[in-house]
Amino acid sequence: MKAPVPHAAVPAALIVLTCAALLSSAPAGADDPAAHRVHYTVSATQTAQALVYYREVQPPNFGEYSHNPYLYSPSADVTVGPNQPWIFDTTLADPQDWAMVVVSLPGNHKELASPGFVCELRVDDVVVATDSGTKGALCSTRTW
């Protein structure tokens, strides 16, 4: 015959079982990092055609990105100016590694103008990078 279990051991066992159940019943994406709102703005001091590359989708890892960066960083051929910004919003899990917008003159306009490009990068409504340049600008938080 088994010895009876002391009453003090029962609450401890219940606590252990309850904790184990809670941990194992966590929602299916609980380990996923929270998405951050990323807001890109590009403008210029003079109206001009611009080529904008920006990170729209976060790649699963650097290896995937290096095999096809344009899959994650599309481009837009746009007209920007003092009252005509280009604006794009996306979400990224790790904006400190992946958020980026770069603007330059399109290939056929490189010798023609110096429009004074300006870019701004916001993450969760906080400005994290700005840049300006006569023919291009880069706003990025990445460390590589």
Side-chain angles (χ1 to χ4, degrees):
M1 177 190 256
K2 281 186 157 181
V5 177
H7 292 288
V10 174
L14 286 176
I15 291 171
V16 169
L17 290 174
T18 302
C19 289
L22 289 174
L23 290 175
S24 66
S25 66
D31 292 331
D32 295 342
H36 296 273
R37 291 175 314 206
V38 177
H39 180 85
Y40 305 122
T41 304
V42 171
S43 63
T45 57
Q46 300 175 39
T47 302
Q49 283 299 112
L51 182 59
V52 179
Y53 282 95
Y54 55 100
R55 186 88 63 244
E56 179 179 20
V57 177
Q58 181 170 315
N61 56 56
F62 186 79
E64 291 294 320
Y65 170 77
S66 67
H67 287 337
N68 190 358
Y70 299 106
L71 180 64
Y72 307 100
S73 305
S75 65
D77 190 6
V78 298
T79 302
V80 294
N83 297 310
Q84 191 176 1
W86 173 87
I87 298 171
F88 187 82
D89 293 298
T90 191
T91 56
L92 301 173
D94 297 313
Q96 70 280 1
D97 291 333
W98 295 106
M100 179 276 307
V101 63
V102 61
V103 58
S104 63
L105 288 166
N108 59 347
H109 291 38
K110 293 205 185 286
E111 295 86 28
L112 300 178
S114 297
F117 288 121
V118 178
C119 64
E120 179 183 88
L121 169 58
R122 290 177 176 258
V123 175
D124 298 329
D125 295 322
V126 175
V127 176
V128 295
T130 60
D131 192 24
S132 62
T134 57
K135 295 186 178 195
L138 167 67
C139 287
S140 176
T141 56
R142 62 186 180 187
T143 56
W144 44 272

